[in-house]
Amino acid sequence: MIIRILTLTALWIGLPLAACAQAPQIIRPEVVAEYPHDPAAFTQGLFIHEGELFESTGRVGQSSLRRVDLETGQVEQSVAIAPPVFGEGSARIGDEIFMLSWVSERGFIFNAETFEQIDSFSYPGEGWGLTFDGTHLILSDGTPELRFLDPATMTLSHTINVTMNGRPIRRLNELEWIDGMIWANIWETRSIVRIDPETGAVDAMIDLSALVPPEVAGRRDAVANGIAWNARTGQIYVTGKLWPTLYEIRLPDPSD
């Protein structure tokens, strides 16, 4: 069973099996609760602020920023992102929400209460995931590199390269800052990696295979994407693109 798990992991992230011989632990989360989620939402970003759930979605002509009722999955407030922009990850700092676009090399800043766009910013290359560590915005672009940006100027502070056993991990997508670590979905997989923000080293992989809803199990585009942490309560939520369900999860206690 262990050999089979490692083989699957190697396939998911595009590494040879030898690179996974001493891989970080693979964790299967426990489901605490399930909530409805818009099955038409191509989820790109997910975060919680003061108990409220926010989501950014992608695809040209369908991209949006939303405030969502956690219990019902109903969209309570939204703003559309006009074509040709393909919306991507999002993060909140104070009264502002920052949102990326995929290949437009342009991001947007919204008033967090009204969703009025109040500014924009530019960056080179692609934008995938976004989160805030309390000091920097952290941006992923599909490569092993994570960029740390000064949110006041959107200038680059520094970067880290994400590795597992010294090998680069590509396709880092949606990001979430959770209790001093960076969690990242890996595009086109059912895995989340947990990353040390100082070294870039992966210390764990969270396997979401058991959470994939049967309605989308055969769809290549309906992958796990979306991680939200309630810093006040410690609750963690995950979902996926086009998933009809959002899950509250917990990681098993290593002492159990």
Side-chain angles (χ1 to χ4, degrees):
M1 179 62 73
I2 294 175
I3 294 174
R4 179 174 179 272
I5 291 170
L6 291 178
T7 302
L8 287 173
T9 304
L11 290 173
W12 286 343
I13 61 176
L15 294 177
L17 182 58
C20 299
Q22 297 179 341
Q25 62 177 323
I26 297 174
I27 303 173
R28 291 176 178 80
E30 300 172 2
V31 174
V32 177
E34 299 183 14
Y35 302 96
H37 179 252
D38 180 3
F42 200 69
T43 306
Q44 303 286 51
L46 198 70
F47 64 89
I48 286 179
H49 179 78
E50 296 184 350
E52 291 190 306
L53 181 67
F54 295 81
E55 182 174 20
S56 53
T57 67
R59 289 184 165 167
V60 175
Q62 300 177 35
S63 297
S64 66
L65 175 65
R66 306 172 168 195
R67 188 193 314 267
V68 180
D69 183 273
L70 175 62
E71 296 287 337
T72 67
Q74 294 295 312
V75 178
E76 298 183 320
Q77 183 180 5
S78 68
V79 60
I81 311 299
V85 173
F86 189 119
E88 285 285 348
S90 54
R92 179 165 175 165
I93 304 177
D95 296 328
E96 298 177 339
I97 296 175
F98 294 71
M99 182 175 172
L100 302 175
S101 63
W102 180 25
V103 293
S104 300
E105 298 190 331
R106 181 185 177 200
F108 309 94
I109 304 176
F110 299 92
N111 179 289
E113 295 302 319
T114 65
F115 281 12
E116 175 187 1
Q117 184 183 332
I118 55 178
D119 207 347
S120 64
F121 57 94
S122 61
Y123 49 90
E126 297 184 2
W128 286 40
L130 193 68
T131 192
F132 181 57
D133 67 0
T135 302
H136 300 99
L137 282 166
I138 307 171
L139 180 151
S140 65
D141 59 9
T143 73
E145 182 179 86
L146 294 179
R147 311 180 205 176
F148 288 69
L149 307 174
D150 179 342
T153 62
M154 297 309 291
T155 56
L156 182 66
S157 169
H158 64 282
T159 64
I160 60 171
N161 287 306
V162 178
T163 61
M164 188 171 74
N165 295 330
R167 301 291 186 93
I169 303 295
R170 297 175 174 82
R171 297 183 289 175
L172 300 170
N173 202 5
E174 147 76 340
L175 305 176
E176 183 76 351
W177 180 263
I178 299 181
D179 200 21
M181 299 289 280
I182 304 167
W183 289 33
N185 286 111
I186 306 299
W187 168 238
E188 293 189 317
T189 79
R190 299 169 178 178
S191 297
I192 292 171
V193 289
R194 191 172 64 190
I195 304 161
D196 184 319
E198 297 296 326
T199 66
V202 171
D203 81 333
M205 297 185 69
I206 296 100
D207 179 7
L208 302 182
S209 297
L211 278 62
V212 179
E215 300 95 317
V216 298
R219 297 189 57 174
R220 183 179 178 184
D221 56 351
V223 297
N225 206 54
I227 311 164
W229 179 50
N230 188 332
R232 289 183 172 180
T233 64
Q235 292 167 294
I236 300 171
Y237 302 87
V238 297
T239 190
K241 300 176 186 291
L242 311 175
W243 285 19
T245 309
L246 179 143
Y247 301 92
E248 180 188 344
I249 62 169
R250 68 176 293 270
L251 303 189
D253 189 324
S255 64
D256 288 349

